[in-house]
Amino acid sequence: MQYKYALDEADEKGWFPIHEAVAQPVRQITEIILDAIHKTQCEQKTNDGDTPLTLAAKSGLGENVKALLEKGVWPNTKNRRGESPLLIAVRTGHYDIVSLLISYNCTINQPCVKRWSAMHEAAKQGSKDIIALLLKNGGNVSLRDGFGVTPLGVAAEFGQCDVLEQLIHKGGDINVEADDGSTVLSDAAAGGNPDCIALLLEYGASGNMPDKEGYLPIHKAAYGGHYLALKYLVPVTSRHAIKRSGLSPIHSAVDGQSVQCLELLLENGFDVNDLLAEHLSENYDDKRMTALFFAVSNKDVSCTETLLKAGANPNLDPLNCLLVAARSGSHEIVRLLLVHNANVNCYFMLVNDTHFPSAIQYALNDEIMLRMLLNNGYEVERCFDCMHGNMYGGSFVWTTSEELLPGWTSCVMTDTFFCDFITVPWMKHLVGRVIRVLVDYMDYVPICIKLKSILEVQKEWAEIQEIIGNPRSLKHLCRLKLRKVFGLERLQNLSSVKKVLLPPLLKSYLLYKEYDSYGKGLHLDT
């Protein structure tokens, strides 16, 4: 061979001629290069960390693999990731190369950097014949990867039912736990293959063994949206084990946004209002507790609607679901929550620093959202309670202790007033627009001096002044009175309002339908 120095030159990928030779299908070329180079060059790695043998195995070129082995190349040589030629051959599904490497005494259970072995890879790929070959030559059915998972767990997770049964017959332990406490059944539930779950249950696997975080197989199937797997797990999971876990599978199904799994759980009697255990709730900054909160925070309309129709209470979480929906701008979810009696006048119970109900602060720049809240009974009067004195010279009258809201003390009066909240520099441009909307829901409007000073320079002031400076219409006053008589709960429950023998137009007027831009877009019944 002329120009032998060329054999020592690599290209920009770090490939030497030997790498190029083993990656092409003509064995004679490989043999010529092998004859011309020193044996040590057979261990040289490319920039990606591949040796000639791992590269030949990856390419599926059995003749080139054989040529390298015949030249005395070590069969256990590894690439940069610690993967052996055997592992790579198993991954690519080349039985002949696997058999060839074994005949040259490669190490069957040699793990890569992540402790992943040829047995794990064969289980993942579902290669029954390769599994049989590995087992025949010393493959360890109980070998653990870097996470403590055995080949059984891998087969279960990837839905390789035939291989799973093969490994069980060869002595695999179905109750072995990984480092995180997951059982093989738990791995199968996460993978979602119903045949694997049925097989494991047939061999005695328990659905009541939690992992170290407390999750049961039923939780993992529900979260993954694995409907058929969940059908197997519901009857074999005890309610006591679920209660001990601190988490309902309904939470898991909703968190995974699986309506189908949610409906299955509801059909089987799971409580839509089950709460997260305190130690799990504490893991979330918002201290969420209900499945409904998960649906709302995920902006999942389908799960939200399903939960509410099944009787979910929207007022159980420290941070009310309505506040979460309003903050995210989810009009449809806000509508659904209000229809199902969400407390439109709720406060953020954990950090309350406003004198007015919290929801409005998330709707100031969204008139559709703002009117949805107001139409459904938001206490707009509390937005005008302050201590600055009104524009006519009056002053704020403190609420007596008997009139305080439930759960409140007089200290609430020291909290932020609406006029102080909305007149900060980055929001004061909204004052005119917002106040103009609010006056539609009041009789007397006690605009304070602070609001007036901002309003006077905004375009809406003339119209606002015209409205509040004149007596309101009798029709408007009657609407306010009837809404007060109905009360918030009946007002939010449209079905109750529909049972009242009132003309449709009067019902629509009572519910402020002329301002319901979102409802008009949906063509909702009036």
Side-chain angles (χ1 to χ4, degrees):
M1 176 182 285
Q2 294 182 342
Y3 311 113
K4 272 196 158 187
Y5 63 86
L7 298 174
D8 298 321
E9 293 181 355
D11 62 14
E12 67 279 0
K13 298 184 297 181
W15 284 47
F16 289 87
I18 183 60
H19 296 112
E20 297 286 359
V22 300
Q24 56 78 46
V26 182
R27 172 172 174 158
Q28 187 179 4
I29 294 175
T30 301
E31 290 175 336
I32 292 171
I33 299 296
L34 285 171
D35 288 338
I37 63 174
H38 191 271
K39 185 179 176 180
T40 56
Q41 288 184 277
C42 293
E43 299 296 333
Q44 287 177 318
K45 294 181 179 179
T46 66
N47 291 347
D48 292 333
D50 277 310
T51 68
L53 187 55
T54 60
L55 201 56
K58 184 189 296 185
S59 303
L61 299 171
E63 286 300 314
N64 286 344
V65 171
K66 189 174 183 180
L68 288 164
L69 293 172
E70 288 176 350
K71 275 293 183 179
V73 173
W74 191 42
N76 296 318
T77 181
K78 297 179 180 180
N79 62 18
R80 184 177 297 162
R81 293 173 295 281
E83 297 170 334
S84 68
L86 179 65
L87 173 56
I88 294 169
V90 171
R91 179 178 300 147
T92 54
H94 288 95
Y95 181 93
D96 58 332
I97 298 179
V98 172
S99 180
L100 179 62
L101 289 164
I102 291 174
S103 71
Y104 275 83
N105 298 317
C106 69
T107 303
I108 301 295
N109 297 312
Q110 180 180 352
C112 70
V113 174
K114 297 182 179 179
R115 310 299 302 169
W116 187 261
S117 71
M119 283 291 294
H120 290 97
E121 188 63 39
K124 177 182 176 180
Q125 301 300 331
S127 306
K128 280 189 70 177
D129 53 349
I130 292 179
I131 283 279
L133 181 61
L134 294 173
L135 289 171
K136 182 180 177 182
N137 289 277
N140 185 352
V141 74
S142 301
L143 199 62
R144 293 174 178 266
D145 69 5
F147 300 99
V149 180
T150 65
L152 267 80
V154 175
E157 181 182 355
F158 287 91
Q160 305 294 358
C161 194
D162 291 340
V163 168
L164 179 60
E165 187 166 21
Q166 182 184 18
L167 292 170
I168 292 172
H169 288 164
K170 292 296 182 180
D173 183 2
I174 61 170
N175 292 315
V176 67
E177 295 182 11
D179 294 345
D180 64 357
S182 294
T183 61
V184 178
L185 183 60
S186 189
D187 293 330
N193 186 298
D195 295 332
C196 287
I197 290 174
L199 178 68
L200 290 166
L201 292 174
E202 181 184 334
Y203 278 93
S206 171
N208 298 315
M209 293 177 65
D211 62 19
K212 289 182 179 178
E213 292 185 341
Y215 297 120
L216 296 164
I218 194 172
H219 293 123
K220 296 187 177 182
Y223 179 79
H226 304 309
Y227 178 81
L228 295 177
L230 191 60
K231 287 187 77 170
Y232 277 107
L233 292 167
V234 167
V236 300
T237 308
S238 77
R239 299 300 172 98
H240 180 65
I242 292 172
K243 187 174 181 180
R244 268 202 325 267
S245 74
L247 174 76
S248 166
I250 284 186
H251 287 94
S252 302
V254 172
D255 194 21
Q257 303 185 47
S258 174
V259 176
Q260 192 179 27
C261 287
L262 172 59
E263 290 172 342
L264 175 63
L265 292 166
L266 293 173
E267 289 168 8
N268 282 273
F270 286 90
D271 188 353
V272 75
N273 287 313
D274 272 345
L275 303 180
L276 279 181
E278 186 176 348
H279 72 278
L280 295 176
S281 178
E282 291 292 329
N283 291 332
Y284 297 93
D285 291 338
D286 48 42
K287 304 297 185 289
R288 62 184 64 185
M289 301 176 73
T290 66
L292 182 61
F293 193 101
F294 282 89
V296 172
S297 62
N298 288 339
K299 300 184 184 180
D300 187 339
V301 175
S302 298
C303 281
T304 298
E305 186 170 19
T306 301
L307 289 167
L308 289 169
K309 285 181 177 178
N313 185 339
N315 301 311
L316 295 178
D317 292 279
L319 174 58
N320 195 285
C321 291
L322 183 66
L323 301 182
V324 177
R327 183 174 59 189
S328 67
S330 304
H331 295 105
E332 178 59 12
I333 292 180
V334 167
R335 183 190 73 80
L336 288 168
L337 291 168
L338 291 171
V339 166
H340 290 86
N341 300 321
N343 182 8
V344 72
N345 292 309
C346 61
Y347 293 80
F348 185 16
M349 293 166 61
L350 296 178
V351 184
N352 173 53
D353 59 357
T354 61
H355 180 65
F356 52 94
S358 305
I360 196 172
Q361 62 188 298
Y362 304 120
L364 297 176
N365 205 25
D366 182 348
E367 184 175 340
I368 292 176
M369 184 74 75
L370 180 59
R371 288 202 181 269
M372 287 176 76
L373 299 173
L374 295 167
N375 291 354
N376 283 275
Y378 182 86
E379 289 183 349
V380 64
E381 296 84 0
R382 295 192 68 82
C383 293
F384 295 95
D385 282 352
C386 76
M387 54 193 301
H388 298 120
N390 66 39
M391 57 186 280
Y392 302 109
S395 59
F396 175 75
V397 179
W398 294 95
T399 308
T400 64
S401 58
E402 290 77 19
E403 296 172 2
L404 291 174
L405 295 175
W408 286 61
T409 64
S410 58
C411 69
V412 75
M413 297 304 181
T414 64
D415 290 339
T416 306
F417 295 106
F418 185 72
C419 56
D420 295 322
F421 179 84
I422 199 173
T423 54
V424 294
W426 56 90
M427 280 203 292
K428 64 181 182 181
H429 65 285
L430 299 172
V431 172
R433 237 185 306 163
V434 171
I435 299 300
R436 173 59 192 89
V437 172
L438 297 184
V439 298
D440 288 334
Y441 298 84
M442 294 187 69
D443 172 11
Y444 169 67
V445 185
I447 293 179
C448 72
I449 295 171
K450 187 166 189 177
L451 280 177
K452 181 174 180 287
S453 66
I454 301 295
L455 284 168
E456 284 177 331
V457 296
Q458 298 195 356
K459 64 180 181 180
E460 294 85 1
W461 175 235
E463 186 180 1
I464 293 170
Q465 201 173 23
E466 173 70 20
I467 294 171
I468 65 177
N470 293 290
R472 309 304 293 269
S473 70
L474 180 60
K475 182 170 73 168
H476 176 71
L477 296 176
C478 288
R479 168 158 61 183
L480 296 178
K481 181 66 175 178
L482 283 172
R483 284 168 65 87
K484 190 172 183 180
V485 169
F486 268 109
L488 177 59
E489 187 171 340
R490 291 184 67 197
L491 188 62
Q492 287 177 305
N493 191 337
L494 296 181
S495 61
S496 294
V497 176
K498 287 178 181 179
K499 292 175 185 176
V500 180
L501 297 177
L502 293 175
L505 287 177
L506 183 54
K507 286 184 187 179
S508 296
Y509 185 68
L510 183 63
L511 295 170
Y512 278 95
K513 287 296 181 181
E514 73 270 30
Y515 295 130
D516 186 11
S517 301
Y518 183 73
K520 288 176 184 176
L522 296 179
H523 306 292
L524 296 174
D525 247 345
T526 58

